[in-house]
Amino acid sequence: MSLVQGYSSGSDSGEELPKIPVLPKDSKYKIVSVPNVDISAHELVPINNSQETSHKETRNFGGGIEENYYDNATWKLQSMKGKRKLDNSSKQESKKLRKKRRKQGDPKDIDYLGPWADYKDTSESDASISEVNGSETDDNVNEEEADQDANNEESEPKVFTEFFGLKEKDYLGRTYMHVPRDLNVSLTNEPGSQECFVPKKIIHTFGGHAKGVNKLEYFPNSGHLLLSCGNDGKIMLWDLYHKRELLRGYYGHSLAVKDVTFSGTGKTFLSCSFDKKVILWNTETGNIEKTIKLKAIPNVIKFNPNNENEFIVGLTNHKIEHYDLSIPNFEIPIQTYDHHLGAINSLTIIDNNNRFMSTSDDKTVRFWDWQINIPIKFISDPSQHSMPSAVMYPGGKYIALQSMDNSIQVIQGHGKFKFNKNKWFDGHNVAGYGIDVEISPDGKIIMSGDSKGFGYFWDWKTCKLVNKLKVSDKPITCIKAHPQEASKVAMAGMNGRIYYCD
């Protein structure tokens, strides 16, 4: 008879039970049996003391052996799989996918099926992944060739100039640099000697830029030529008299041109672009005289009126760099002004050309002496907004600044540089655009563009809105008053056209 009901002893069943090895009490091993296998197939496994003691009281003998064996086997299997995936597939696949993205080429050649679709040809990706296992040297060679091709494309844009006028020289051998004398107005007078009025209509439209215009600049003093730059990477020179034609195109930037500025004589001009380049151009021939590669994207550039070989450029890395083109190492700045905490938006020459002023995305206004990296004064207020552009009042008594709160504010042009609370112009809509502000040569009219395509004109003394001229359906970001004419103003914006108003 069996000792326990439901179980039979070896004598009752007549079968001989396999012998289970007996281990000493202080042994460092335990017996593990494999399920569905003869119990004689056992092995000695080291004991995990912490695990054994924690489950010592709750487990029975058979359950403890089976559970310990299952946990150990599962842990080993999962860890080996994870390690194998990390070593073999993850690193190689990520590397090959990065390489594949770099070699995609033209985005137009990619068949995009939507954000939730799979790749169109998965076999191609599998084959590319298998190539990684082949040889590392081939990948390195291909990566170097791809990098070299990319560098060559970026460093070698098409640099040339083209003349579009009917005649490059007149019967006396003079180019378009000569100020015309056969006009109803004298272009050799001192700017501001004429009385200015508000323009009432558009008299001509220049349509040379395929994308938006970023800056307009008149030829110094005479204003018989107009220079423009745009998001299409082109710089164009226009004739404002006679046939009002496009005279010359300057092509040297691979990306959008942000700013252009004439030298004091107008023989040369500077341009800066999103391709991180500053180029010195010859206005008459269109040749590039010097090129400087910057470390950040430039926003604004200005010549030093005291020395035409020097210029300052405001960058998006919060710095203003000062260069001298007359020294051998002209590509290295002679001074860096780095007290701003945001991208530089505008640079304005003030105080009889002895100082300059800068505005930034950090909502501060700072005033500098030339080549001294310590601002003599800065204006900061919690209620102050960012000011993307500024202009000097004729004579230098005031400075008008465009503010992002849809207003134009005025500060003193010398002395303590305090805000003038009596001068406040509003009514237009800036709406986040970097819109220029301008003052007529005689100082009677202040004007600004608008995000809805208007040109706004205020009376300087009374601060009242005089006229609002609709010129475009898109924002007008550039506005310039002619230095010699009484009421002619050039405006341009996001649609690429230049509107000449009178």
Side-chain angles (χ1 to χ4, degrees):
M1 184 176 178
S2 61
L3 298 175
V4 181
Q5 186 175 0
Y7 292 90
S8 61
S9 63
S11 59
D12 295 335
S13 60
E15 297 178 359
E16 184 178 358
L17 293 175
K19 294 182 179 181
I20 299 176
V22 180
L23 298 176
K25 293 183 179 181
D26 56 350
S27 176
K28 297 181 179 180
Y29 295 88
K30 64 183 179 181
I31 299 173
V32 175
S33 61
V34 182
N36 300 327
V37 182
D38 192 344
I39 195 170
S40 61
H42 55 265
E43 61 176 338
L44 298 179
V45 180
I47 297 175
N48 187 345
N49 293 329
S50 61
Q51 183 179 6
E52 190 72 20
T53 54
S54 61
H55 299 280
K56 191 172 183 180
E57 298 179 357
T58 59
R59 291 176 177 173
N60 56 30
F61 178 76
I65 292 177
E66 293 176 355
E67 189 171 354
N68 286 333
Y69 169 78
Y70 177 81
D71 293 342
N72 274 314
T74 305
W75 180 82
K76 289 181 180 179
L77 180 62
Q78 295 297 332
S79 62
M80 290 179 66
K81 286 184 179 179
K83 185 177 181 181
R84 192 177 299 113
K85 286 183 179 179
L86 179 63
D87 294 339
N88 297 334
S89 61
S90 299
K91 293 183 179 179
Q92 294 174 355
E93 289 181 6
S94 60
K95 181 179 178 181
K96 195 59 185 179
L97 288 175
R98 287 196 300 269
K99 178 184 174 184
K100 185 178 179 181
R101 293 190 189 103
R102 286 198 299 268
K103 295 185 177 181
Q104 288 290 345
D106 191 357
K108 296 180 181 179
D109 299 336
I110 302 174
D111 295 333
Y112 182 66
L113 303 178
W116 308 110
D118 295 332
Y119 285 107
K120 186 175 181 180
D121 190 3
T122 56
S123 61
E124 182 181 355
S125 61
D126 296 336
S128 62
I129 294 174
S130 62
E131 291 176 2
V132 179
N133 300 328
S135 61
E136 294 291 337
T137 57
D138 295 340
D139 294 340
N140 295 333
V141 172
N142 294 332
E143 289 177 3
E144 290 178 358
E145 291 177 356
D147 293 338
Q148 290 178 359
D149 295 340
N151 293 333
N152 292 334
E153 291 178 0
E154 293 179 359
S155 61
E156 296 180 0
K158 294 181 180 179
V159 179
F160 65 97
T161 182
E162 186 176 358
F163 181 77
F164 295 97
L166 296 177
K167 294 181 180 180
E168 194 166 357
K169 295 182 180 180
D170 60 6
Y171 68 98
L172 294 177
R174 299 173 300 189
T175 64
Y176 51 74
M177 299 290 290
H178 174 71
V179 179
R181 303 293 179 91
D182 55 342
L183 303 174
N184 296 329
V185 59
S186 176
L187 301 181
T188 58
N189 295 333
E190 184 70 20
S193 58
Q194 76 279 13
E195 185 179 2
C196 297
F197 304 94
V198 175
K200 296 181 180 179
K201 63 180 180 178
I202 301 173
I203 59 175
H204 190 75
T205 301
F206 302 95
H209 288 280
K211 298 180 181 179
V213 179
N214 291 326
K215 187 65 182 293
L216 297 176
E217 190 78 9
Y218 282 104
F219 193 85
N221 298 324
S222 64
H224 69 287
L225 301 176
L226 180 65
L227 190 68
S228 65
C229 65
N231 291 329
D232 53 2
K234 300 177 182 179
I235 304 171
M236 296 184 177
L237 188 68
W238 309 87
D239 182 17
L240 295 180
Y241 297 95
H242 301 111
K243 295 184 178 181
R244 290 175 180 162
E245 59 183 351
L246 174 62
L247 295 176
R248 185 176 291 276
Y250 307 85
Y251 311 98
H253 291 287
S254 58
L255 296 176
V257 184
K258 184 65 177 177
D259 193 12
V260 289
T261 180
F262 273 113
S263 61
T265 59
K267 295 181 179 180
T268 59
F269 69 88
L270 285 168
S271 66
C272 61
S273 168
F274 281 95
D275 59 6
K276 301 180 182 179
K277 287 183 180 180
V278 172
I279 299 179
L280 179 66
W281 300 85
N282 186 298
T283 308
E284 184 175 2
T285 63
N287 297 329
I288 294 179
E289 297 186 357
K290 291 183 180 179
T291 302
I292 297 176
K293 185 67 176 178
L294 304 174
K295 295 181 180 179
I297 297 175
N299 279 336
V300 59
I301 191 167
K302 290 289 182 182
F303 271 105
N304 183 357
N306 303 318
N307 186 355
E308 290 191 354
N309 291 320
E310 298 180 4
F311 70 90
I312 52 177
V313 55
L315 308 175
T316 56
N317 63 353
H318 316 165
K319 296 180 181 180
I320 304 171
E321 293 183 348
H322 191 155
Y323 290 88
D324 189 354
L325 299 174
S326 62
I327 61 177
N329 297 327
F330 63 90
E331 295 181 352
I332 301 176
I334 60 176
Q335 183 58 274
T336 301
Y337 313 89
D338 56 0
H339 286 255
H340 275 291
L341 302 178
I344 309 301
N345 291 329
S346 70
L347 296 172
T348 309
I349 311 300
I350 62 171
D351 201 4
N352 296 324
N353 302 332
N354 294 322
R355 293 169 178 161
F356 68 92
M357 182 192 76
S358 62
T359 62
S360 170
D361 281 344
D362 60 5
K363 303 179 182 180
T364 64
V365 182
R366 298 176 190 262
F367 303 85
W368 313 80
D369 283 324
W370 294 102
Q371 298 190 25
I372 299 178
N373 186 22
I374 298 176
I376 60 174
K377 182 180 176 62
F378 73 92
I379 302 175
S380 178
D381 188 85
S383 61
Q384 190 168 302
H385 291 74
S386 178
M387 299 179 178
S389 63
V391 63
M392 195 74 181
Y393 186 82
K397 189 176 181 180
Y398 302 102
I399 305 171
L401 299 99
Q402 183 81 263
S403 179
M404 282 298 184
D405 61 348
N406 299 329
S407 68
I408 299 175
Q409 303 180 24
V410 178
I411 61 177
Q412 297 176 356
H414 54 80
K416 296 183 179 180
F417 301 104
K418 291 184 178 181
F419 276 100
N420 189 339
K421 298 181 180 180
N422 296 326
K423 295 292 182 182
W424 183 280
F425 306 91
D426 56 5
H428 62 306
N429 190 359
V430 177
Y433 294 93
I435 295 177
D436 290 342
V437 59
E438 177 70 344
I439 300 176
S440 62
D442 63 348
K444 292 183 178 181
I445 302 170
I446 182 171
M447 59 196 78
S448 171
D450 178 71
S451 63
K452 297 181 180 180
F454 288 91
Y456 280 77
F457 302 88
W458 296 269
D459 183 80
W460 176 264
K461 289 185 178 180
T462 62
C463 299
K464 293 182 179 180
L465 182 64
V466 178
N467 190 18
K468 183 174 69 172
L469 182 62
K470 178 71 171 181
V471 295
S472 175
D473 294 331
K474 292 187 177 181
I476 295 295
T477 57
C478 306
I479 185 167
K480 278 288 182 179
H482 197 285
Q484 298 291 344
E485 294 282 356
S487 58
K488 287 185 170 61
V489 176
M491 290 184 281
M494 304 299 291
N495 62 358
R497 297 182 179 181
I498 303 172
Y499 303 95
Y500 197 45
C501 306
D502 189 8

